Amino acid sequence: MKVIVMGAGVIGVTTAYYLAKQGASVTVLDRQPGPGLETSYANAGELSYGMTSPWAAPGIPMKAVKWMFMKRRPLFIWPLISPTMWKWGYDMVRNCNEESYRLNKGRMVRISNYSRDVMPDLIAETGIEYDGREQGTLQLFRTAKQLKDSKADQDILSEYDSPFEVLDSAGCIAVEPALAEVRSKFVGGLRLTADRTGDCRIFTTALAEKCTEMGVEFQYGTNIRAIAVENGRIAGVDTEIAGRQTADAYVCALGSYAAGLLKHTGIKLPVYPVKGYSVTLPVTDDAYAPQSTIMDETHKVAITRLGDRIRVAGTAEIAGYSNRLGPHATNTVRHVISDLFPRGGDLSKAEGWTGLRPMTPDGTPVLGASRYDNLFLNTGHGTLGWTMACGSGRAVADVVLGKTPEISFDGLTAERYA
Ligand SMILES: Cc1cc2nc3c(=O)[nH]c(=O)nc-3n(C[C@H](O)[C@H](O)[C@H](O)COP(=O)(O)OP(=O)(O)OC[C@H]3O[C@@H](n4cnc5c(N)ncnc54)[C@H](O)[C@@H]3O)c2cc1C
């Protein structure tokens, strides 16, 4: 079977891998000159199985108002004249209730846990190195109230069998010794012991190389103009330079740009870009640097150790498809690293980056079959695309090839928006 995968981010490349592994002839199309150069490029590096939750949760609208007035705010909303943006926001707010939260979380955890289970096999099969570590995530609480409020999260973690431990400040320092320097700044933490970390771009690039060895063809520098529909089926993918590309089946893994290209096929996906920022800096002294991921609960910023580098990422900005990296855009993430690990890395050598999270209002990605029998979707992974990539790549590949996937697709397909 010949399959065209649209998009060479972490989602497209993992899908291509699982398709090729099962004997499909795969071509991947991407406008960039290589794999993983858009949102998969410099994310926070968390494989956050334990922190898999929708942003749309009870109480979030009130918190969002508070965040927007903070000095170093984790959330910006630019009041654009965009019906799509406001509709998406309205749908997100409608998901901020107990019942929707539980439903959406259950769907997301299904994919995350599957990813957690299948990723080790992929790593063993390919021998890929990606600055990976298996030392958990430490959610760091600066106030007693944050620690107390985490009880609700602990109950949910127990319900989903996600292992965790509650730590006082000495316990936090035991897992992240460099925090001893700033012990007065936090009161404790919640550690998600099964979480892992790693560099998503390095992984995506290395996996694309393996895919090439397996016979996958990557056509870079190929801008997709349209997905052509004829006689009720996908007739091909129209590209700027290479004209129409055809296959037996098509997988749309275009991240934040999926909705725009699918719109003309009649598929309406509420996938909206939510901008985030990161900086990456070299470690100056291991003794003062983070060892795994530390999630600063106050600023909603994640600090992750990736080999001899530190990645600091956060901020949610609702500003349309802007890729602009303004001079002050990374101020919040810079503040958090210098506040918690003042001697760990060299901020003067920090590289700034911005990316667009492909977010659905319910937090759950859109996977599997579409209204066309030869078009399949793998997009809308929002804040958790790196975490969910292997699981969704493998499950979607199974569906494309007509096999029974190992997880249920109930509530994961575009059907739920119909
Ligand atoms: C600041 C930040 C921090 C994050 N931290 C984490 C984290 O710690 N853990 C986690 O799990 N997730 C995290 N994420 C989310 C994660 O990075 C994304 O969910 C994931 O990268 C999405 O992958 P993708 O392959 O769907 O999209 P992309 O990587 O954007 O890939 C889509 C591809 O489609 C191509 N494309 C688009 N339009 C066209 C076109 N018209 N023609 C040809 N090609 C096209 C693009 O070039 C791109 O390569 C973070 C995101 C951000 C922004």
Side-chain angles (χ1 to χ4, degrees):
M1 180 191 247
K2 181 169 181 205
V3 186
I4 287 180
V5 176
M6 294 173 258
V10 69
I11 300 298
V13 173
T14 46
T15 312
Y17 171 77
Y18 286 113
L19 284 165
K21 195 178 160 219
Q22 299 184 74
S25 159
V26 185
T27 300
V28 182
L29 308 178
D30 200 291
R31 61 186 170 194
Q32 294 292 343
L37 292 176
E38 296 208 0
T39 310
S40 305
Y41 186 79
N43 64 29
E46 293 177 80
L47 291 158
S48 15
Y49 312 112
M51 292 188 89
T52 293
S53 300
W55 276 5
I60 285 295
M62 286 307 292
K63 282 188 188 166
V65 173
K66 199 183 108 202
W67 288 333
M68 286 197 296
F69 290 100
M70 277 171 68
K71 186 177 172 207
R72 294 194 175 83
R73 36 189 169 153
L75 175 69
F76 290 79
I77 300 175
W78 296 101
L80 304 179
I81 303 170
S82 160
T84 316
M85 176 184 125
W86 293 109
K87 167 81 170 74
W88 180 89
Y90 172 72
D91 287 345
M92 186 164 180
V93 171
R94 281 200 323 159
N95 275 280
C96 292
N97 61 75
E98 195 62 44
E99 193 186 336
S100 304
Y101 178 78
R102 285 193 167 273
L103 180 73
N104 298 332
K105 170 141 181 138
R107 291 169 173 171
M108 294 169 74
V109 167
R110 200 189 313 152
I111 310 164
S112 272
N113 284 356
Y114 186 51
S115 244
R116 178 196 64 199
D117 296 344
V118 300
M119 190 171 176
D121 282 347
L122 181 148
I123 300 300
E125 285 156 15
T126 58
I128 283 177
E129 292 188 1
Y130 58 102
D131 282 339
R133 292 190 179 196
E134 302 194 356
Q135 291 173 243
T137 297
L138 176 64
Q139 196 179 2
L140 198 68
F141 302 126
R142 291 177 185 256
T143 65
K145 182 172 185 313
Q146 288 172 343
L147 184 57
K148 186 165 160 269
D149 289 352
S150 76
K151 179 73 182 70
D153 292 338
Q154 292 166 34
D155 293 343
I156 293 174
L157 287 166
S158 303
E159 196 181 321
Y160 287 95
D161 285 332
S162 298
F164 67 89
E165 50 194 27
V166 182
L167 303 174
D168 58 12
S169 58
C172 294
I173 292 166
V175 291
E176 289 288 351
L179 287 175
E181 286 253 290
V182 293
R183 65 175 73 231
S184 62
K185 295 194 175 172
F186 58 92
V187 297
L190 179 68
R191 183 163 175 254
L192 301 144
T193 52
D195 280 9
R196 305 177 194 139
T197 50
D199 190 309
C200 180
R201 180 188 62 81
I202 295 179
F203 171 91
T204 308
T205 309
L207 188 62
E209 277 167 22
K210 287 282 162 195
C211 286
T212 306
E213 286 168 22
M214 292 161 73
V216 175
E217 185 192 352
F218 285 86
Q219 292 185 14
Y220 295 120
T222 303
N223 191 36
I224 299 166
R225 281 195 298 107
I227 301 169
V229 178
E230 280 170 18
N231 304 320
R233 299 195 84 215
I234 302 303
V237 176
D238 291 335
T239 68
E240 247 161 40
I241 297 174
R244 181 167 293 188
Q245 306 276 309
T246 57
D248 302 308
Y250 303 84
V251 179
C252 178
L254 292 165
S256 292
Y257 296 85
L261 277 160
L262 287 168
K263 196 162 82 185
H264 303 288
T265 68
I267 297 174
K268 285 193 190 143
L269 281 193
V271 174
Y272 193 79
V274 176
K275 194 172 181 180
Y277 298 95
S278 74
V279 291
T280 307
L281 50 151
V283 169
T284 42
D285 187 337
D286 185 57
Y288 297 109
Q291 298 304 315
S292 190
T293 292
I294 296 90
M295 180 74 195
D296 180 342
E297 182 57 18
T298 300
H299 297 98
K300 304 280 178 199
V301 165
I303 302 173
T304 300
R305 177 68 174 269
L306 298 170
D308 57 4
R309 298 163 301 141
I310 303 168
R311 173 78 44 77
V312 198
T315 315
E317 195 171 313
I318 300 179
Y321 285 85
S322 157
N323 280 316
R324 187 171 173 270
L325 186 63
H328 305 294
T330 57
N331 280 0
T332 300
V333 292
R334 283 170 181 270
H335 163 75
V336 172
I337 184 68
S338 54
D339 192 46
L340 293 178
F341 295 92
R343 291 199 276 169
D346 185 351
L347 256 180
S348 72
K349 296 196 177 127
E351 283 173 27
W353 171 80
T354 182
L356 302 175
R357 303 173 182 92
M359 295 272 297
T360 59
D362 51 354
T364 310
V366 192
L367 308 186
S370 74
R371 62 194 273 187
Y372 300 101
D373 68 355
N374 59 347
L375 176 65
F376 302 86
L377 309 177
N378 199 358
T379 187
H381 295 77
T383 56
L384 290 161
W386 173 214
T387 306
M388 294 178 171
C390 291
S392 45
R394 179 159 163 179
V396 169
D398 282 344
V399 174
V400 174
L401 299 173
K403 301 188 175 169
T404 307
E406 290 177 317
I407 54 167
S408 159
F409 271 61
D410 188 26
L412 305 184
T413 68
E415 269 285 288
R416 69 181 189 272
Y417 300 122

